[in-house]
Amino acid sequence: MLYKAIVRPAVFRISAKDPEFAHHLIMEKLAFASKFQSLLKIIEATSAYKSPALERDVFGVHFPNPVGLAGGFDKNGLALPALAALDFGFIEAGTVTRYRQPGNDRPRIFRFSDVDALINRMGFPNDGADAIHERLLKLPAAGVPVGWSIGKSKITPPAEAVEDYRYSLRKLYDFAAFFTVNVSSPNTPGLRTLQDKEPLDQLLQAMVQEATALAQQRGNVIPKPILVKIAPDLTEEQIQDVIEVCLARNVGGIIATNTTLARDGLRHSTEQTGGLSGRPLLTRSLEVVNYLSRQLDGKIPIIGVGGIFSPDDAKRMFDAGASLIQIYTSFIYEGPGIIKQINKKLLY
Ligand SMILES: Cc1cc2nc3c(=O)[nH]c(=O)nc-3n(C[C@H](O)[C@H](O)[C@H](O)COP(=O)(O)O)c2cc1C
C-alpha cells in the first residue's frame, strides 16, 4: 500500500528519464542495510512471514519459502542479506561473467507502466568473477539459499565460452547453494545459440564435471546443483532438445523463463530492443512451464518465472508444474509486499 501510494510514484518520477537510476538508488539502500544486523532485524520484523508449511526441499537444497528473486537484480551480490530479510525464500545473484564488463550504453531499461512491463538490454554489467569472489569473502552470508547465475563475457568468442563459464563457477563455488547456466539473455550477442543441442551439451557436461571435481576436492560426494535458464522464445522442438541434454547431463533444475523478444501485450509499439519482462510474459512462461512439466514428468524440478504479479499468478505457475517461483518485474511495480502476499496465499 505504502509502496504503491508513496514510494513508487516518487522513485518512478525521479528516474523517469533513466529507470536504472531507481534501481541503483534502491540497491544502494539495500546494500547499506546489509551491513547492519540492527537494520536487517527491522526489515525482517516488518516483512517476514514464516511457516514450516512454506518450506521446500528441491534439488537437494532447503528453502524457507518457494518465492525467490530472479537473476539480474543483485548482479554483484551487494545486498543479499537485505533481500533475504525482505523474505525472499532464495536469491539468484548475478548474472556474473568471467571478466568485468560495463554492459550496454544507458538508458538500457525502459518502463511500460500501463501494462506493468519492462524492456531491458543491460548486457550483463558486473564486476567480474574475481572481484565478486574477493568481496564475498568479506560479506556475511545471506541467510537463505543463494544461486549464482553465470553468463558469457561479451569479449569471449563462442568457441571459448565453456572455459569462460567454468572460470566463474570455480570462483564462486564456495558461495553458492546452486548455479544457473544463463544461456537465455537476449542482450549478449550469440548467447542464445548456446541453447542449441550440441553447444548446450558441451557446456552443461563441463559445468557438471567441474562442480563434481570441486565437490570432491572439498570432501563432498554431492556437487552443488547446476541449473539452466531458458528463453521463452524457444519452439517445442528446441525445448525438447534442452530436456534431452538436461536429462543426460544430470542438470539439477530448469528455470523458465528469461525475458522475451516478442512484444505481445504492449499497448504501444516500441523501437526499443531488448528483453520484455513483466505482466505480458505470464501467458508464455506458463505455457513453457506447462510443456516442460508434461515432458519431464517430475524428473527435473522447474523454477517458474515470468510475469508473476499476484498470488493467483503464482498459484497458476505452481499448478503448471513449478516447484519454486521467482519474481523480478513485480518486485519493482508492486513492491516487496508481493512476497508476503504470495506466501500467505500459498498457506490457504
Ligand atoms: C532489468 C533486468 C535485468 C535482468 N538481468 C538478468 C540477468 O542478469 N540474468 C538473468 O538470468 N535474468 C535477468 N533478467 C530476467 C529476469 O531474471 C526474469 O527471468 C525475467 O525478467 C522474467 O521475470 P519477471 O517478469 O518476473 O521480471 C533481468 C530482468 C530485468 C527486468
Side-chain angles (χ1 to χ4, degrees):
M1 276 307 198
L2 184 73
Y3 180 84
K4 278 180 99 169
I6 296 170
V7 180
R8 188 179 98 172
V11 172
F12 275 24
R13 202 172 316 118
I14 57 172
S15 60
K17 282 213 179 88
D18 184 1
E20 191 175 338
F21 177 70
H23 179 79
H24 293 302
L25 196 71
I26 303 284
M27 267 302 294
E28 213 175 82
K29 308 281 175 275
L30 292 171
F32 178 79
S34 292
K35 294 189 189 127
F36 300 97
Q37 274 305 323
S38 50
L39 290 177
L40 293 173
K41 288 235 164 67
I42 296 170
I43 300 174
E44 209 177 306
T46 54
S47 313
Y49 189 75
K50 311 234 178 280
S51 163
L54 289 171
E55 294 174 22
R56 301 283 188 277
D57 287 286
V58 188
F59 43 75
V61 178
H62 182 77
F63 296 86
N65 73 63
V67 183
L69 177 61
F73 189 86
D74 191 354
K75 291 177 187 292
N76 294 307
L78 292 168
L80 302 172
L83 290 163
L86 284 172
D87 214 23
F88 279 114
F90 63 108
I91 300 158
E92 193 177 337
T95 296
V96 168
T97 55
R98 172 176 185 166
Y99 300 108
R100 179 190 183 91
Q101 56 182 37
N104 294 319
D105 292 341
R106 285 170 73 168
R108 51 196 179 176
I109 303 180
F110 306 89
R111 283 191 204 114
F112 296 82
S113 301
D114 54 341
V115 288
D116 289 338
L118 296 171
I119 287 179
N120 92 82
R121 51 168 179 269
M122 299 293 283
F124 298 159
N126 77 103
D127 294 341
D130 287 329
I132 293 173
H133 167 92
E134 289 307 313
R135 193 180 299 128
L136 288 172
L137 288 170
K138 293 176 212 137
L139 282 181
V144 299
V146 173
W148 278 93
S149 167
I150 301 178
K152 183 184 82 63
S153 314
K154 190 175 179 189
I155 57 163
T156 300
E160 290 162 32
V162 171
E163 189 42 39
D164 197 82
Y165 278 85
R166 221 166 23 191
Y167 185 90
S168 300
L169 178 74
R170 279 197 292 269
K171 278 283 162 186
L172 298 174
Y173 192 77
D174 292 321
F175 305 98
F178 64 90
F179 289 93
T180 304
V181 174
N182 184 359
V183 282
S184 49
S185 163
N187 303 313
T188 295
L191 189 88
R192 283 186 167 193
T193 60
L194 294 171
Q195 291 174 120
D196 294 347
K197 200 168 183 181
E198 227 170 89
L200 186 66
D201 188 52
Q202 280 171 16
L203 179 56
L204 292 178
Q205 182 186 22
M207 293 296 267
V208 172
Q209 263 175 8
E210 189 70 37
T212 307
L214 290 164
Q216 275 166 5
Q217 282 167 22
R218 287 155 179 75
N220 299 325
V221 187
I222 302 173
K224 294 189 177 164
I226 304 292
L227 280 61
V228 65
K229 182 167 178 180
I230 64 169
D233 306 318
L234 298 179
T235 62
E236 285 191 354
E237 208 175 306
Q238 288 172 313
I239 299 176
Q240 200 54 51
D241 284 348
V242 170
I243 289 174
E244 276 174 39
V245 172
C246 288
L247 286 170
R249 297 297 170 201
N250 263 327
V251 159
I254 300 179
I255 305 184
T257 67
N258 213 313
T259 55
T260 180
L261 290 171
R263 293 293 180 257
D264 303 348
L266 289 185
R267 290 208 187 117
H268 313 283
S269 64
T270 176
E271 304 280 285
Q272 297 302 346
T273 56
L276 175 72
S277 63
R279 226 184 259 280
L281 184 54
L282 180 67
T283 308
R284 181 61 190 153
S285 63
L286 282 171
E287 262 171 23
V288 174
V289 170
N290 226 309
Y291 181 77
L292 279 170
S293 103
R294 272 186 283 121
Q295 300 299 313
L296 285 166
D297 201 18
K299 291 189 194 94
I300 298 177
I302 302 162
I303 301 183
V305 48
I308 299 169
F309 265 71
S310 68
D312 279 340
D313 296 343
K315 194 170 174 306
R316 288 172 72 192
M317 194 52 99
F318 287 115
D319 289 345
S323 300
L324 302 166
I325 60 165
Q326 292 177 325
I327 58 169
Y328 188 137
T329 307
S330 62
F331 184 52
I332 316 263
Y333 279 104
E334 303 290 310
I338 184 71
I339 311 162
K340 195 193 270 190
Q341 278 175 39
I342 295 174
N343 276 324
K344 257 186 174 171
K345 175 82 182 235
L346 289 176
L347 289 181
Y348 300 105

